[in-house]
């Protein structure tokens, strides 16, 4: 499957039919389910992508939440041939879109001028890129690729209960409050070496997290409070994977020491796997 090739159909957007409807750009039946998409590496063009599996008419109506730094700069391609461009700066915008049929869609977000933009409402709690608590896309989005113009994540994927895969690029500086909180699907995260700060409750209540991989790090990032709280239960287990050469420093670092019992060396994780 070559998603990058198919993306030319809608100038960066992508529509993939599940087989229940007609038409679409399914590559002759080559792509027909989200499991194929989950298995593919991210597309290396610096754009944000949100993959939605709309399998019920209830989920045809969608909206996203973004904040821009330059007017007429952030383009949203809904994946069905329609687009939206921001009109405001420094405040939340919630573009709305209704799809006409069920299927698998890719929403592509990019800054036309390479300027910073933010996924979700940075000044409000719990308002993710896929909407507030009642945002239906929180349930249908199963894969996300964060774009290179996103400097930090705050609230970005809170309560996205359908999310099974997230790609975070080098260049991201901070993982802030509720960035990946309340995720319930089985998911793991790899943190790029550029991250220097992880703020309070970044992963709070994400019982679906199996491991967070920091093995690319060259230094121990700052950690705030309650970052991994409300995750561990009798039925869940979490590993925090760190570079072997930083292990001792890591388990003794401020706030990290609280989680020393679940911090493991990269080599030990590789052996266990």
């Amino acid at each position: 499957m070559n998603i990058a090739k198919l993306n030319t159909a809608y100038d960066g957007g992508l529509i993939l039919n599940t087989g229940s409807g007609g038409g679409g750009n399914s590559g002759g039946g080559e792509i027909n389910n989200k499991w194929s998409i989950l298995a593919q590496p991210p597309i290396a063009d610096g754009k944000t992508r949100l993959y939605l599996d709309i399998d019920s008419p209830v989920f045809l109506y969608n909206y996203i939440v973004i904040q821009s730094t330059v007017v007429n700069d952030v383009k949203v391609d809904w994946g069905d041939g329609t687009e939206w461009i921001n009109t405001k700066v420094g405040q939340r915008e919630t573009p709305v879109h209704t799809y006409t049929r069920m299927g698998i869609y890719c929403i592509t977000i990019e800054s036309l001028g390479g300027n910073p933009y933010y996924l979700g409402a940075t000044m409000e709690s719990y308002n993710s890129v896929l909407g507030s608590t009642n945002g239906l896309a929180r349930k249908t989005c199963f894969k996300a690729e964060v774009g290179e113009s996103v400097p930090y994540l705050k609230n970005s994927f809170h309560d996205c209960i359908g999310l099974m895969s997230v790609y975070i690029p080098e260049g991201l500086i901070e993982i802030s409050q509720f960035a990946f909180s309340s995720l319930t699907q089985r998911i793991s995260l790899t943190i790029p070496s550029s991250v220097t700060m992880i703020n309070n409750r970044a992963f709070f209540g994400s019982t679906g997290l199996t491991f967070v991989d920091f093995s690319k790090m060259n230094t121990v990032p700052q950690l705030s409070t309650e970052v991994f709280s409300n995750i561990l239960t009798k039925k869940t287990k979490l590993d925090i994977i760190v570079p072997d050469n930083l292990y001792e420093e890591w388990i003794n670092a401020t706030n990290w020491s609280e989680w020393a019992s679940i911090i493991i060396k990269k080599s030990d994780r590789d052996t266990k796997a």
Side-chain angles (χ1 to χ4, degrees):
M1 178 180 75
N2 190 335
I3 292 178
K5 183 185 295 184
L6 289 172
N7 271 352
T8 60
Y10 289 121
D11 187 26
L14 174 65
I15 175 174
L16 307 170
N17 272 357
T18 58
S20 58
N25 298 292
S26 60
E30 182 183 13
I31 305 174
N32 57 14
N33 64 72
K34 64 184 181 183
W35 309 109
S36 300
I37 298 171
L38 284 167
Q40 296 302 306
I43 300 171
D45 61 2
K47 301 177 184 179
T48 292
R49 285 182 170 81
L50 307 171
Y51 294 84
L52 311 183
D53 184 7
I54 300 176
D55 58 1
S56 167
V58 174
F59 300 122
L60 290 173
Y61 171 86
N62 287 273
Y63 72 96
I64 62 173
V65 180
I66 62 171
Q67 288 184 206
S68 311
T69 57
V70 177
V71 72
N72 297 327
D73 177 67
V74 174
K75 182 177 77 171
V76 176
D77 187 319
W78 296 101
D80 61 355
T82 60
E83 298 176 349
W84 173 91
I85 294 183
N86 73 296
T87 59
K88 300 178 181 178
V89 174
Q91 56 184 299
R92 181 186 70 173
E93 291 187 86
T94 55
V96 173
H97 187 69
T98 300
Y99 292 101
T100 59
R101 64 182 186 270
M102 294 181 291
I104 297 179
Y105 295 84
C106 178
I107 300 174
T108 306
I109 306 170
E110 63 175 311
S111 167
L112 301 176
N115 301 295
Y117 63 89
Y118 305 96
L119 304 176
T122 61
M123 301 304 292
E124 304 170 33
S125 295
Y126 312 123
N127 223 323
S128 79
V129 65
L130 296 165
S132 59
T133 304
N134 62 353
L136 295 177
R138 290 175 184 248
K139 299 178 181 179
T140 61
C141 182
F142 62 91
K143 180 177 181 178
E145 300 171 8
V146 177
E148 294 176 358
S149 292
V150 179
Y152 68 86
L153 300 172
K154 180 179 180 182
N155 300 316
S156 300
F157 297 101
H158 166 71
D159 200 33
C160 293
I161 59 176
L163 201 57
M164 304 171 71
S165 173
V166 180
Y167 167 73
I168 309 171
E170 287 290 342
L172 190 83
I173 299 171
E174 180 178 325
I175 299 175
S176 198
Q177 291 99 323
F178 303 107
F180 295 104
S181 57
S182 301
L183 305 183
T184 55
Q185 293 284 349
R186 186 177 175 86
I187 188 171
S188 59
L189 296 171
T190 298
I191 310 302
S193 62
S194 55
V195 170
T196 60
M197 177 68 187
I198 303 170
N199 226 314
N200 62 302
R201 299 195 172 192
F203 307 106
F204 185 86
S206 285
T207 55
L209 265 181
T210 56
F211 66 84
V212 182
D213 188 351
F214 292 93
S215 62
K216 294 182 178 181
M217 291 289 179
N218 299 310
T219 59
V220 180
Q222 296 180 62
L223 188 76
S224 190
T225 58
E226 299 186 286
V227 171
F228 300 102
S229 294
N230 283 24
I231 294 178
L232 299 175
T233 69
K234 292 181 179 179
K235 296 182 179 180
T236 60
K237 186 179 186 301
L238 173 67
D239 286 339
I240 298 173
I241 305 169
V242 304
D244 287 27
N245 63 317
L246 293 176
Y247 175 75
E248 291 298 331
E249 180 182 354
W250 213 293
I251 62 174
N252 290 293
T254 301
N255 292 325
W256 284 108
S257 58
E258 178 183 353
W259 308 102
S261 63
I262 59 172
I263 297 175
I264 64 172
K265 297 177 182 179
K266 177 67 164 58
S267 60
D268 291 341
R269 172 71 186 192
D270 292 342
T271 300
K272 185 166 61 173

